[in-house]
Amino acid sequence: MASSSVRALRAVGGRCLLERTNASPSAASCHGGARRGLVHAESTLVHAESTGSVVQVSTQKHWTAFMYGRERQLLVHVVNSVEEGDTDGVLQSMDDFWGHHFGMKGADSWSVRKGLLDNTMKSKRPERCLELGTYCGYSALRIAQSLPERGKLVSIEVDPLFGAIATKIIEYAGLRDKVKVLTGTVDTKLRRIQEVFARPGEDLDAVRLNFVLCDHSKDRFVPDLELLENAKLIGPGTIVMGDTTLYPGEDASGGGPNLLSHFAANDKFRIQQHIGTDKSSGITVCEWQHVV
């Protein structure tokens, strides 16, 4: 940074404030939001919004150089552009935001995915739905708005801040009663999934899912489906949808068993539809069938 630098990040009145100073960044350090050392230079406090992003203060490397800047901006955009309770308006606002942010890259694949998800929900009418990978809640909203009266969606997100942003967007869209966002992973939330779905008087071990959307780390698709199967949460009659498309902003690293190959190699799965979206990617919908 030239003459000024961001030297501290503090919470004041529930808002993030950045402290800028003309002194060198090494003039003082920040720990737990408290100032340490004296700085003999003129400084000012500015709202984080005015800088365009919230910067990371930690000296440790993180997977992103910014602290959830675009996801936070998405939430602000939704709240500022749509009336509360307007689900369709929130979805359109999210489409507009990401289309602008990524210059419409991946828009064709995303449109295919939206249509396939909507058609699957309308034709199958699943009551108990599980989403693996909430991110900011877009797919959760699409699923929730198609749920029948007694329907419920549980969405699992490993990142607590993404989960918090998604929860707020879902609440703002008016679908809080239809969706429960859990922070964690499949292996840590198996019992909690059963508890959320269980109806009064129902044995937790009798809970079965009607629909699963795999939308998290692609190397976890097959292992997490196996965890759900071993817990008897999924089985004959369960619809599974997985999207292996790499969308703009996603991490291309990692790998695992190919989802389509996994389905094709098992007699218990009946592939209902597969749409290729890239050279080695695509969206697959299959149904777990009874094997005699």
Side-chain angles (χ1 to χ4, degrees):
M1 222 170 269
S3 60
S4 66
S5 62
V6 176
R7 200 173 48 75
L9 175 62
R10 298 192 287 169
V12 179
R15 298 175 68 84
C16 289
L17 298 179
L18 300 173
E19 186 171 7
R20 289 191 180 278
T21 177
N22 291 328
S24 167
S26 61
S29 61
C30 175
H31 177 70
R35 292 181 61 185
R36 301 183 63 182
L38 297 176
V39 180
H40 301 291
E42 181 182 359
S43 62
T44 59
L45 290 176
V46 295
H47 288 294
E49 290 90 333
S50 66
T51 70
S53 61
V54 181
V55 298
Q56 185 178 356
V57 180
S58 172
T59 57
Q60 298 178 351
K61 290 185 178 180
H62 196 265
W63 65 271
T64 178
F66 295 96
M67 191 183 296
Y68 307 98
R70 66 187 180 198
E71 289 79 15
R72 183 176 181 276
Q73 291 167 7
L74 170 66
L75 175 57
V76 172
H77 174 75
V78 168
V79 171
N80 288 342
S81 61
V82 182
E83 290 290 331
E84 188 168 1
D86 181 1
T87 305
D88 289 332
V90 170
L91 287 168
Q92 185 59 56
S93 178
M94 296 175 81
D95 277 335
D96 293 343
F97 178 88
W98 292 123
H100 174 76
H101 189 86
F102 290 116
M104 299 307 293
K105 292 180 181 178
D108 291 341
S109 297
W110 190 250
S111 295
V112 170
R113 172 191 162 125
K114 288 190 296 184
L116 194 54
L117 180 58
D118 290 348
N119 290 337
T120 300
M121 289 300 299
K122 289 174 183 177
S123 63
K124 300 299 182 180
R125 302 291 290 169
E127 288 191 355
R128 289 168 166 168
C129 301
L130 176 68
E131 178 187 32
L132 306 181
T134 317
Y135 190 40
C136 293
Y138 184 90
S139 294
L141 290 179
R142 298 206 79 90
I143 293 171
Q145 70 174 357
S146 297
L147 287 171
E149 184 177 352
R150 298 179 65 194
K152 186 84 174 181
L153 167 68
V154 170
S155 187
I156 299 180
E157 173 55 52
V158 68
D159 190 301
L161 193 47
F162 287 165
I165 289 173
T167 298
K168 186 59 186 177
I169 288 177
I170 291 164
E171 175 186 317
Y172 193 80
L175 294 174
R176 177 177 57 184
D177 294 338
K178 288 286 188 181
V179 184
K180 177 67 176 177
V181 178
L182 301 179
T183 303
T185 57
V186 171
D187 59 326
T188 64
K189 294 299 176 182
L190 286 172
R191 201 61 175 174
R192 186 68 181 123
I193 293 169
Q194 294 171 317
E195 292 172 350
V196 174
F197 280 118
R199 299 191 175 106
E202 184 178 16
D203 186 347
L204 294 184
D205 292 327
V207 172
R208 297 290 181 272
L209 303 177
N210 307 121
F211 176 77
V212 178
L213 172 64
C214 295
D215 197 19
H216 56 328
S217 297
K218 293 168 177 56
D219 60 341
R220 292 299 311 170
F221 281 14
V222 173
D224 283 345
L225 286 174
E226 291 174 341
L227 285 172
L228 293 170
E229 180 183 7
N230 292 336
K232 300 189 185 308
L233 275 163
I234 59 177
T238 301
I239 303 296
V240 180
M241 178 174 170
D243 186 0
T244 59
T245 307
L246 189 66
Y247 293 97
E250 287 189 326
D251 185 4
S253 63
N258 181 274
L259 188 64
L260 180 59
S261 298
H262 175 71
F263 288 152
N266 288 273
D267 292 337
K268 60 189 175 186
F269 297 115
R270 180 170 61 87
I271 298 174
Q272 296 186 328
Q273 197 168 5
H274 176 80
I275 300 176
T277 55
D278 205 342
K279 287 181 287 187
S280 59
S281 303
I283 307 167
T284 305
V285 179
C286 78
E287 182 172 356
W288 206 301
Q289 60 185 351
H290 292 270
V291 178
V292 180

